[in-house]
């Protein structure tokens, strides 16, 4: 675009030259700098919108361009000003070019977005905020308990939070919430996507919305729908206030981030931002052997497009976004949705998984990002994208093999206890062979997609009719059991068994080696009425019901007690792998697996497909690892029994030279309540399908 000519001496240009960095809108009291990447465009106009009738638009041509970045600065612009870009260039889809100057595009680096589909505008933001001395918590993984939740759904029905704050960042930062999480034993919340997102057109057409938020369009902007105070930058301030409040309660904030695809969908989808700026660079295409170009989108996300993390500016955007959320918004880590889609390097005829890809190398070397919590969902929709056990340090992983094994065990479908023990001890088959620890495994029973724990013990089959897809959506691999009746029932025996099974699942999760991740509401019996894919249910199917009358508060108490034990006893969250040998001369093994007869497990026992009971002795005297100053660590020893059999079973408490008596401190067996004293040599009866935790000593903690 031409700079034009001056008309007279003394003129001042309405748009200053500005600079080509940083990308986005950078506000100062004097001027706001705008910089946007559109390397193949012929012209770019900055569009400023006023709030008068008809939304007046002021267009300023960006005449400065360097390195594919168009830039300029506007003096005396107020924070809260709405803006966008019009971009001109060729519309030749066969070449991967889709410019359309009739569209107002969102700034990919916008720190806030106002409005929604059809009238969405980027917003100029003043980033100033008083953090009041807040500092990163930087809690170790072994001390971490993750709690996955939805910002809106967690507080929307909470009667102790002011109504205008329910379902918002402010609601999540309310003392009622932080006190609940702290009391439960949560140390980190993992928020379902909060990047500004739009619902898919197909959902909108049938009157639904994307509730979960896995359809992002702006990677720097907190979604305005979760803000109680406005969408002109107020969402940035309110998000920061939420983080400050959670940090003050000792709770870290992890974001579920979706850098693998955007809301623009396939090549025929809507153009909101990226497609109108650099379609050919930002989205992956199918590889062409002769080096030519094929405009067919390459999709391993199931959402129509896959972000090309090899492209220098797409890679830069991902890294800049991550750093922004850490340095400016003070979040503590990220869970990467469909991480495998981002770990790809293109070859002549394929785009294969590459553990030395540009993104992983860049994050691993970044002085900011390599020290935050990094969680991978280690798969995508392809056959070669399943990477559980394969991510490099410092990444930790969602371990779906833990989920499947523990579900099968408690529904009576496990073939013996060999794999169960492996998962309980930290999945050494996945993480021990390359120097990683048990804390590279994020253990979970449920997540946002799939059944809740209550539904896991209440339904054999999914019931997704409300989603409007004739129950075709959602997985059929639920590994659930309804215990005799499909859905809710008044039968007291079935109701009691379901609650005990839910408590078994939660206790197992909380006491397994690795990082436990709870799904919000599982600890109190949240139900989605059998829906295992509630992605479009922005209603009471998904929202957490805080009423006590239908809550499974007995499950809550078991969960809370198990997490308290984990928090208070380093023996239950040891730094290194168990070795099955003494930690000192003449002492007990650090860990021993026990048969119900009281003997240590034999090879025959490990291969007994009928065995449904296993005990694990964890020694606390002393721990193998020294404390932070080299001191020997002494803790209580524990004996934990997991019994998934349909009948009661007798277990022998083995005689030994180290532990002679103890107390039941966690129990799902109504006949073995907490506080019950036990002694070595005793034979006790475990009720069918129960968990018992016994702690060395004369009194419970």
């Amino acid at each position: 675009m031409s700079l034009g000519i001056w008309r007279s001496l003394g003129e001042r240009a309405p748009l200053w030259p500005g600079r080509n960095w940083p990308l986005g809108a950078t506000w100062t009291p004097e001027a706001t700098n705008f910089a946007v990447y559109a390397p193949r465009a012929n012209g770019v106009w900055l569009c400023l919108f006023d709030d008068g009738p008809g939304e007046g638009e002021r267009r300023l041509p960006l005449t400065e361009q360097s390195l594919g970045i168009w830039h300029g600065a506007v003096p005396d612009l107020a924070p809260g000003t709405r803006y966008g870009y019009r971009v001109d260039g060729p519309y030749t889809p066969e070449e991967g070019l889709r410019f359309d100057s009739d569209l107002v595009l969102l700034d990919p680096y916008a720190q806030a977005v106002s409005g929604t589909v059809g009238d969405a505008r980027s917003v100029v933001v003043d980033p100033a905020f008083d953090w009041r001395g807040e500092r990163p918590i930087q809690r170790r993984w072994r001390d971490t308990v993750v709690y996955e939740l939805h910002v809106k759904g967690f507080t929307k029905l909470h009667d102790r939070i002011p109504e205008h704050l329910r379902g918002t960042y402010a609601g999540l930062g309310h003392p009622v919430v932080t006190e609940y999480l702290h009391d439960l034993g949560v140390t980190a919340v993992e928020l379902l996507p909060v990047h500004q997102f739009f619902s898919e057109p197909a959902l909108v057409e049938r009157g639904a919305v994307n509730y979960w938020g896995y359809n992002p369009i702006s990677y720097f902007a907190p979604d305005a729908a979760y803000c109680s105070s406005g969408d002109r930058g107020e969402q940035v301030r309110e998000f920061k206030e939420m983080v400050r409040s959670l940090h003050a309660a000792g709770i870290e904030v992890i974001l579920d981030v979706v850098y693998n695809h955007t809301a623009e969908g396939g090549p025929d989808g809507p153009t909101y931002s990226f497609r109108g700026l650099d379609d050919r660079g930002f989205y992956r295409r199918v590889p062409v052997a002769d080096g030519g170009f094929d405009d067919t989108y390459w999709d391993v996300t199931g959402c129509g497009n896959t972000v090309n993390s090899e492209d220098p500016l797409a890679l830069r955007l991902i890294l800049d976004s991550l750093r922004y959320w850490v340095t400016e918004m003070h979040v503590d880590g990220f869970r990467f949705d469909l991480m495998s889609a981002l770990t790809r390097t293109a070859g002549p005829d394929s785009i294969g998984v590459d553990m030395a890809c540009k993104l992983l190398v860049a994050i691993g070397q970044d002085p900011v990002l390599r020290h935050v919590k990094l969680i991978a969902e280690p798969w995508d929709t392809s056959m070669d994208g399943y990477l559980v056990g394969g991510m490099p340090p410092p990444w930790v992983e969602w371990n779906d093999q833990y989920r499947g094994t523990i579900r099968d065990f408690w529904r009576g479908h496990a073939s013996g206890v060999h794999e169960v023990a492996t998962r309980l001890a930290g999945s050494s088959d996945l993480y021990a062979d390359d120097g990683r620890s048990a804390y590279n495994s994020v253990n979970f029973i449920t997540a946002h997609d799939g059944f809740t724990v209550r539904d896991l013990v209440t339904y054999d089959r999914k019931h997704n009719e409300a989603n409007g897809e004739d129950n075709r959506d959602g997985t059929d691999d639920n590994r659930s059991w309804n215990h005799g009746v499909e859905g809710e029932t008044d039968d007291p025996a079935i109701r009691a068994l379901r609650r005990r099974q839910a408590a078994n699942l939660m206790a197992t999760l909380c006491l397994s080696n690795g990082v436990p991740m709870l799904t919000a509401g599982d600890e109190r019996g949240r139900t989605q009425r059998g829906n295992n894919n509630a992605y479009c249910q922005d209603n009471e199917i998904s929202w957490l019901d805080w009423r006590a009358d239908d809550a499974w508060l007995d499950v809550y108490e078991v969960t809370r007690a198990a997490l308290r034990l984990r928090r208070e006893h380093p023996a239950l969250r040891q730094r290194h792998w168990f070795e099955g040998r003494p930690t000192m001369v003449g002492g007990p093994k650090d860990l021993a697996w026990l048969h119900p007869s009281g003997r240590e497990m034999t090879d025959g026992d490990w291969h007994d497909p009928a065995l449904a009971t296993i005990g694990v002795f964890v020694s606390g005297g002393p721990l193998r690892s020294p404390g932070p100053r080299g001191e020997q660590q002494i803790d209580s020893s524990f004996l934990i029994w997991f019994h998934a059999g349909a009948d009661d079973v007798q277990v022998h408490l083995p005689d030994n030279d180290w532990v002679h008596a103890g107390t039941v401190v966690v129990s799902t067996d109504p006949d073995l309540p907490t506080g019950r004293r036990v002694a070595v040599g005793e034979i006790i009866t475990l009720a069918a399908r129960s968990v018992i935790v016994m702690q060395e000593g004369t009194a419970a903690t």
Side-chain angles (χ1 to χ4, degrees):
M1 297 176 71
S2 172
L3 291 172
I5 60 174
W6 298 107
R7 295 179 179 275
S8 62
L9 293 175
E11 280 188 86
R12 182 182 295 274
L15 187 71
W16 300 355
R19 61 186 185 184
N20 67 354
W21 63 276
L23 290 169
T26 305
W27 180 85
T28 69
E30 181 183 28
T32 301
N33 190 79
F34 294 88
V36 63
Y37 182 69
R40 298 175 178 87
N42 296 331
V44 176
W45 290 263
L46 170 66
C47 307
L48 302 175
F49 298 92
D50 62 39
D51 296 327
E55 189 189 52
E57 177 184 342
R58 176 188 175 200
R59 300 184 190 180
L60 299 172
L62 296 179
T63 57
E64 302 289 337
Q65 181 195 178
S66 56
L67 303 176
I69 298 172
W70 302 73
H71 55 93
V74 180
D76 304 319
L77 206 60
T81 299
R82 296 175 301 140
Y83 72 98
Y85 295 107
R86 294 185 185 271
V87 182
D88 187 38
Y91 188 85
T92 52
E94 67 276 7
E95 298 177 6
L97 305 176
R98 290 176 168 83
F99 294 107
D100 185 350
S101 60
D102 290 336
L103 301 175
V104 177
L105 303 177
L106 292 171
D107 182 353
Y109 276 71
Q111 296 172 17
V113 173
S114 173
T116 185
V117 176
D119 65 356
R121 305 290 183 252
S122 303
V123 177
V124 174
V125 172
D126 176 1
F129 183 74
D130 181 7
W131 285 99
R132 301 178 186 171
E134 176 268 347
R135 291 288 184 270
I137 296 173
Q138 296 182 323
R139 183 174 285 108
R140 295 180 179 90
W141 273 120
R142 69 177 181 271
D143 301 328
T144 297
V145 176
V146 179
Y147 191 81
E148 188 195 39
L149 63 82
H150 189 283
V151 170
K152 179 177 181 178
F154 194 66
T155 63
K156 185 63 177 175
L157 299 177
H158 205 307
D159 61 354
R160 293 180 57 202
I161 292 176
E163 187 170 0
H164 70 287
L165 300 182
R166 296 174 192 169
T168 68
Y169 302 121
L172 190 58
H174 194 279
V176 168
V177 171
T178 57
E179 290 166 8
Y180 176 86
L181 296 173
H182 184 270
D183 185 63
L184 179 59
V186 169
T187 72
V189 290
E190 182 177 303
L191 307 183
L192 266 66
V194 297
H195 290 160
Q196 185 71 44
F197 68 91
F198 291 160
S199 293
E200 296 85 342
L203 279 177
V204 175
E205 288 173 5
R206 65 174 192 253
V209 298
N210 187 316
Y211 170 68
W212 287 345
Y214 290 90
N215 211 41
I217 196 57
S218 190
Y219 290 114
F220 293 78
D223 196 281
Y226 303 144
C227 181
S228 67
S229 51
D231 66 358
R232 301 296 181 87
E234 294 90 350
Q235 60 266 57
V236 178
R237 174 187 51 77
E238 190 168 311
F239 184 93
K240 291 177 178 179
E241 290 172 344
M242 175 197 73
V243 172
R244 188 177 63 192
S245 175
L246 288 164
H247 281 183
I251 298 169
E252 294 182 301
V253 179
I254 298 170
L255 302 188
D256 193 333
V257 290
V258 189
Y259 293 111
N260 60 80
H261 75 277
T262 77
E264 293 184 315
D268 296 326
T271 296
Y272 301 125
S273 179
F274 307 100
R275 180 174 289 130
L277 293 164
D278 186 24
D279 182 42
R280 181 162 177 163
F282 197 75
Y283 295 121
R284 283 199 185 272
R285 302 312 206 274
V286 296
V288 178
D290 62 4
F293 179 79
D294 184 337
D295 187 56
T296 305
Y297 275 31
W298 187 80
D299 178 18
V300 290
T301 68
C303 299
N305 65 63
T306 300
V307 173
N308 182 9
S309 56
E310 286 188 90
D311 178 77
L313 266 292
L315 176 62
R316 175 178 170 180
L317 180 142
I318 294 171
L319 295 170
D320 286 348
S321 169
L322 292 169
R323 280 190 293 265
Y324 173 81
W325 286 96
V326 174
T327 60
E328 184 64 33
M329 307 295 267
H330 287 209
V331 305
D332 303 281
F334 306 94
R335 178 265 188 188
F336 286 71
D337 178 66
L338 299 183
M339 184 65 194
S340 301
L342 295 169
T343 61
R344 302 278 181 164
T345 298
D349 55 5
S350 66
I351 305 176
V353 170
D354 180 7
M355 290 296 97
C357 68
K358 294 178 180 179
L359 180 62
L360 289 180
V361 170
I363 290 175
Q365 294 184 353
D366 189 284
V368 172
L369 301 179
R370 68 189 181 206
H371 296 299
V372 303
K373 287 182 164 63
L374 298 170
I375 307 171
E377 181 185 38
W379 52 79
D380 56 24
T381 63
S382 70
M383 295 297 292
D384 67 332
Y386 186 76
L387 303 179
V388 173
M391 291 296 296
W395 292 83
V396 306
E397 305 171 4
W398 271 25
N399 185 354
D400 68 332
Q401 294 188 32
Y402 177 93
R403 173 182 61 185
T405 299
I406 300 305
R407 285 188 180 191
D408 280 346
F409 176 67
W410 283 113
R411 72 187 181 116
H413 282 238
S415 180
V417 296
H418 184 274
E419 187 176 359
V420 174
T422 300
R423 302 293 159 239
L424 294 174
S427 296
S428 60
D429 59 328
L430 299 174
Y431 304 109
D433 60 345
D434 57 359
R436 290 181 291 169
S437 78
Y439 302 100
N440 286 91
S441 174
V442 175
N443 300 328
F444 64 107
I445 301 294
T446 68
H448 62 276
D449 51 346
F451 280 151
T452 66
V453 162
R454 179 169 179 164
D455 290 352
L456 197 65
V457 299
T458 305
Y459 297 91
D460 279 353
R461 304 175 302 280
K462 66 186 181 185
H463 295 269
N464 298 354
E465 290 81 6
N467 294 353
E469 300 178 39
D470 296 324
N471 207 35
R472 295 188 305 269
D473 62 306
T475 183
D476 293 312
D477 183 22
N478 295 298
R479 305 192 187 195
S480 59
W481 178 31
N482 65 19
H483 297 86
V485 174
E486 185 72 358
E488 299 293 337
T489 179
D490 293 329
D491 187 306
I494 293 177
R495 288 164 61 96
L497 179 55
R498 287 174 174 174
R499 291 169 80 131
R500 186 159 75 249
Q501 287 281 66
N504 291 336
L505 288 162
M506 297 302 289
T508 304
L509 173 63
C510 295
L511 296 170
S512 295
N513 209 15
V515 181
M517 186 188 80
L518 287 65
T519 303
D522 275 351
E523 75 281 2
R524 52 189 298 119
R526 184 177 78 91
T527 178
Q528 292 179 170
R529 306 169 196 170
N531 193 320
N532 75 352
N533 190 37
Y535 76 103
C536 59
Q537 299 297 328
D538 187 7
N539 51 48
E540 293 185 5
I541 290 177
S542 298
W543 302 340
L544 180 54
D545 185 352
W546 289 93
R547 295 175 301 171
D549 54 352
D550 192 45
W552 289 6
L553 297 181
D554 50 342
V555 178
Y556 171 86
E557 291 300 334
V558 168
T559 306
R560 179 172 173 266
L563 289 178
R564 185 183 71 248
L565 277 184
R566 183 185 185 95
R567 179 176 67 252
E568 294 178 352
H569 293 281
L572 297 177
R573 45 182 175 82
Q574 297 194 33
R575 197 151 50 105
H576 299 297
W577 292 103
F578 292 109
E579 298 182 14
R581 61 186 182 89
T583 60
M584 66 179 296
V585 176
K589 294 180 179 180
D590 57 356
L591 179 143
W593 298 103
L594 302 179
H595 186 272
S597 66
R599 67 172 182 265
E600 282 199 55
M601 292 283 287
T602 66
D603 286 344
D605 296 333
W606 286 121
H607 293 92
D608 179 359
L611 187 60
T613 310
I614 190 168
V616 56
F617 169 78
V618 179
S619 173
L623 305 187
R624 191 176 304 282
S625 299
R629 292 174 176 79
E631 71 276 15
Q632 190 178 78
Q633 296 188 91
I634 306 294
D635 193 13
S636 296
S637 295
F638 292 86
L639 178 57
I640 308 173
W641 288 100
F642 302 93
H643 174 46
D647 300 311
D648 296 355
V649 65
Q650 289 189 331
V651 298
H652 297 236
L653 305 185
D655 202 356
N656 64 89
D657 295 331
W658 306 284
V659 178
H660 304 291
T663 304
V664 175
V665 290
V666 173
S667 174
T668 66
D669 182 344
D671 296 325
L672 286 173
T674 57
R676 158 78 184 274
R677 293 281 294 126
V678 293
V680 298
E682 188 176 348
I683 298 175
I684 63 174
T685 300
L686 300 183
R689 304 186 177 97
S690 60
V691 174
I692 304 294
V693 183
M694 305 171 187
Q695 180 183 346
E696 171 190 15
T698 57
T701 57

